[in-house]
Amino acid sequence: MSSSPPDRAQERWVELVDRINHARVQYSLDATQTLSDAEYDTLFRELVGLEEQYPLLITGDSPTQSVGGYSSELFDPVTHLEPMYSLDNVFNVDEMTAWMDRITSTLGSFPELLCELKIDGLAVDAVYRRGHLESLATRGDGTTGEDVTANSILIASIPQRLKGKKLPAVLEVRGEVFYPLAAFDSINQEQAKAGKPLFANPRNAAAGALRQRLDKREREWISAQGTKREARLESELKAARQRLSALQFTVHGIGAHSELNLVSQSDTYKVLKAMGLPTSEHFSVENSPGDVLAFIQERNESRSSVDFDIDGVVAKVDQFNQQRELGFTSRAPRWAIAFKYPPEVVRTRLLDIRVSVGRTGRVTPYAVMEPVQVAGTTVSMATLHNPFEVERKGILIGDLIFLRKAGEIIPEVLGPVIEERTGSERAFVMPGNCPECGTELAPESEGDKDIRCPNARSCPAQLRERLFHLGSRGGLDVEGLGEKSAKALLESEIVTNEGDIFNLTETNLLTSPFFTRDPHKGEQGPQLNEAGITLLSQLHMAKQQPLWRFLVALSIRHVGPTVAKKLAKEFGSLSAIEAATESDLSEVDGIGDRIAHSLREYFEQDWHQDIIHKWIAAGVTFVDPTAKTEGPLTGKTIVITGSLPGFTRDSAQESLSDLGATISGSVSAKTDLVVAGDKAGSKAAKARSLGIPITGARGFELLSRGDFEAALSIPD
Ligand SMILES: [Zn+2]
């Protein structure tokens, strides 16, 4: 039995663990050392000694229980046969162009450049003797790295033996060890589950895996046989092995070698590939600065199409004689450059978590962060989806957090940097009442993850969002009805809700400064500004939009463009959708119970009916002229020509297509009846020549009541 540790030992242990873990985090996340190797070793040895004396102190937090640390402590040093240089970086087109100009002027002409993806991994050096892997080492300081040969056995993508007969006596290759994104995500999920810090990027995860002392773990596990620790150590060992086996390897360079007559980088890739070494499939030899820049731009745009993280493009002079001519600076080759893309994962401070209320009342927490550049844009907000998600990510207000944004994808909070906590962080509490209207929030139904503001009718946030949605591309596509104008319309009380939107007049808009400008010379009083003029004319045009867009514009829950198009096609008019029962609706392919129920619920609300009636009164027809409707005129092909009193051409056609008629624009042998109004022209004449029956305004009246036979009996 070991004695329980005195307070003094306990305190010292906490201090040591904090300092070592902090140093490790700095090192693994930023590759910055907060302690010198010697300081680190001293502290680590003291910790090991303390834990040997008082084993009760040992917890999972102790750095002695996990991998990490500095090379000096964990691994034997390996000196590379030839030094591994780092590459100089450029960050924009101007710098890249300047580099290309420099090498062009040294060489006298533009050299062929081999361009390849810069994988965000860990650089390693592998030495083969007569085709056998002799050593695998991390890059280290470029001259000396850490010996991780023991781990290489588990990394299937690193061949232990090369293929071919005449293998060189010595072959030193350089490459990148990395995780595909799917593997990286699952590692971070495991980390989160175990309450361990997340890896900021696949490179750190790869470093973590490669720099494990697997042999030490195996020994620990063996010596723990029959004890309580055995099961834990065994599962840790298994996880460690899995992490190693998921690592991928790509060769991108060559160091010392014998007996190989290599003339270029691209040639080298071919030779190495033939020996069974994995070389990049994502490279291209470019012949002009323009092609190089195009490669860089294209690969940035298609960054998400490869299944691993890249942080840029590397360009290397392809021909070795030209490489030699250019030579090296003190730390980097002059013949290669890394063009770095903007980072996709950064750290920033979570200042607050607030909630926003959406169009359908859904209350969504979102992160307010210190503005930070990520993937080329400045980000200061990110959605957190729902309170459960906030809990799952384990973030506290005040935390330093990891933030990811890849290409066009919306920014995502990954998780907290737990090591940076000071204790002043606080947990997010979901508000009980709507921040905009004060109504008590509640989930829609039990077990629903989303919390809603039930005040759909008059919650200012929901009104604003619905108006904005109505004007959006997927809705009625009203230019001039954006977030700001929606807000202005409501705040000036020009509209009470979306029902008023088609009745807007110049007089209404002139009451809001948002839509108004000062009069010019000779004008009487304030005038509509550009925003006001655009909004009025666009709304006027929007009345002619197809039915499905109006369905979207009504903000019926679960009715987006796809569903709306199906409904419009199937039913042809809003009145037909409204008349349908829930089971009629749910039988439609792609609709189902949930949407059917939501539609029925929508129509049951009086204030929804008010909106629909106001829109109809303003001239919205809610009819899809292209839809197939079953009715008394189904199977009849009718042509309308000339004008009919009280109808536009469109509304006349719609009134018949509503009854099932097929409306055609031209007369043919298939036409069943021609309706000839005033000033009917050539179509009526053609119908006469083909012997097709023609009727007039009275006949149309009968037709619009569905009586085809009666209409036939009243010839024009
Ligand atoms: Zn509300």
Side-chain angles (χ1 to χ4, degrees), residues 357 434 436-437 439 453 455 459 462:
V357 183
C434 174
E436 300 231 17
C437 72
T439 308
C453 166
N455 179 17
C459 175
Q462 295 185 52

PDB file of all heavy atoms in Angstrom, residues 357 434 436-437 439 453 455 459 462, ligand 1:
ATOM      1  N   VAL A 357     -33.889  34.460 -33.640  1.00  0.00           N
ATOM      2  CA  VAL A 357     -35.195  33.846 -33.868  1.00  0.00           C
ATOM      3  C   VAL A 357     -35.443  33.828 -35.367  1.00  0.00           C
ATOM      4  O   VAL A 357     -35.368  34.858 -36.026  1.00  0.00           O
ATOM      5  CB  VAL A 357     -36.302  34.644 -33.161  1.00  0.00           C
ATOM      6  CG1 VAL A 357     -37.650  33.962 -33.331  1.00  0.00           C
ATOM      7  CG2 VAL A 357     -35.964  34.815 -31.689  1.00  0.00           C
ATOM      8  N   CYS A 434     -38.467  34.652 -25.525  1.00  0.00           N
ATOM      9  CA  CYS A 434     -37.992  35.149 -26.812  1.00  0.00           C
ATOM     10  C   CYS A 434     -37.315  36.510 -26.615  1.00  0.00           C
ATOM     11  O   CYS A 434     -37.906  37.412 -26.023  1.00  0.00           O
ATOM     12  CB  CYS A 434     -39.161  35.285 -27.781  1.00  0.00           C
ATOM     13  SG  CYS A 434     -38.694  36.045 -29.343  1.00  0.00           S
ATOM     14  N   GLU A 436     -36.912  38.793 -28.605  1.00  0.00           N
ATOM     15  CA  GLU A 436     -37.511  39.877 -29.391  1.00  0.00           C
ATOM     16  C   GLU A 436     -38.934  40.223 -28.965  1.00  0.00           C
ATOM     17  O   GLU A 436     -39.349  41.364 -29.063  1.00  0.00           O
ATOM     18  CB  GLU A 436     -37.476  39.538 -30.885  1.00  0.00           C
ATOM     19  CG  GLU A 436     -36.053  39.340 -31.371  1.00  0.00           C
ATOM     20  CD  GLU A 436     -35.705  40.151 -32.603  1.00  0.00           C
ATOM     21  OE1 GLU A 436     -36.427  41.113 -32.936  1.00  0.00           O
ATOM     22  OE2 GLU A 436     -34.712  39.788 -33.251  1.00  0.00           O
ATOM     23  N   CYS A 437     -39.694  39.208 -28.529  1.00  0.00           N
ATOM     24  CA  CYS A 437     -41.078  39.524 -28.167  1.00  0.00           C
ATOM     25  C   CYS A 437     -41.428  39.099 -26.751  1.00  0.00           C
ATOM     26  O   CYS A 437     -42.525  39.372 -26.271  1.00  0.00           O
ATOM     27  CB  CYS A 437     -42.051  38.910 -29.174  1.00  0.00           C
ATOM     28  SG  CYS A 437     -42.188  37.125 -29.045  1.00  0.00           S
ATOM     29  N   THR A 439     -42.145  36.270 -25.493  1.00  0.00           N
ATOM     30  CA  THR A 439     -42.996  35.089 -25.323  1.00  0.00           C
ATOM     31  C   THR A 439     -42.170  33.914 -24.793  1.00  0.00           C
ATOM     32  O   THR A 439     -41.006  33.763 -25.160  1.00  0.00           O
ATOM     33  CB  THR A 439     -43.624  34.691 -26.681  1.00  0.00           C
ATOM     34  OG1 THR A 439     -44.248  35.841 -27.228  1.00  0.00           O
ATOM     35  CG2 THR A 439     -44.636  33.573 -26.530  1.00  0.00           C
ATOM     36  N   CYS A 453     -40.114  30.138 -30.574  1.00  0.00           N
ATOM     37  CA  CYS A 453     -40.985  31.195 -30.089  1.00  0.00           C
ATOM     38  C   CYS A 453     -42.344  30.939 -30.725  1.00  0.00           C
ATOM     39  O   CYS A 453     -42.473  30.986 -31.941  1.00  0.00           O
ATOM     40  CB  CYS A 453     -40.451  32.564 -30.518  1.00  0.00           C
ATOM     41  SG  CYS A 453     -41.681  33.864 -30.295  1.00  0.00           S
ATOM     42  N   ASN A 455     -44.959  32.659 -30.855  1.00  0.00           N
ATOM     43  CA  ASN A 455     -45.682  33.849 -31.289  1.00  0.00           C
ATOM     44  C   ASN A 455     -45.433  34.150 -32.775  1.00  0.00           C
ATOM     45  O   ASN A 455     -44.898  35.186 -33.139  1.00  0.00           O
ATOM     46  CB  ASN A 455     -45.244  35.035 -30.409  1.00  0.00           C
ATOM     47  CG  ASN A 455     -45.929  36.322 -30.791  1.00  0.00           C
ATOM     48  OD1 ASN A 455     -46.949  36.310 -31.494  1.00  0.00           O
ATOM     49  ND2 ASN A 455     -45.374  37.438 -30.349  1.00  0.00           N
ATOM     50  N   CYS A 459     -44.358  38.124 -33.505  1.00  0.00           N
ATOM     51  CA  CYS A 459     -42.962  38.251 -33.056  1.00  0.00           C
ATOM     52  C   CYS A 459     -42.191  39.047 -34.118  1.00  0.00           C
ATOM     53  O   CYS A 459     -42.156  38.652 -35.275  1.00  0.00           O
ATOM     54  CB  CYS A 459     -42.348  36.865 -32.885  1.00  0.00           C
ATOM     55  SG  CYS A 459     -40.593  36.920 -32.472  1.00  0.00           S
ATOM     56  N   GLN A 462     -39.760  37.036 -36.261  1.00  0.00           N
ATOM     57  CA  GLN A 462     -40.359  36.120 -37.238  1.00  0.00           C
ATOM     58  C   GLN A 462     -40.960  36.882 -38.416  1.00  0.00           C
ATOM     59  O   GLN A 462     -40.852  36.466 -39.561  1.00  0.00           O
ATOM     60  CB  GLN A 462     -41.407  35.236 -36.557  1.00  0.00           C
ATOM     61  CG  GLN A 462     -40.784  34.318 -35.530  1.00  0.00           C
ATOM     62  CD  GLN A 462     -41.787  33.352 -34.921  1.00  0.00           C
ATOM     63  OE1 GLN A 462     -42.502  32.646 -35.632  1.00  0.00           O
ATOM     64  NE2 GLN A 462     -41.855  33.314 -33.604  1.00  0.00           N
TER      65      GLN A 462
HETATM   66 ZN    ZN B   1     -40.676  35.989 -30.400  1.00  0.00          ZN
END
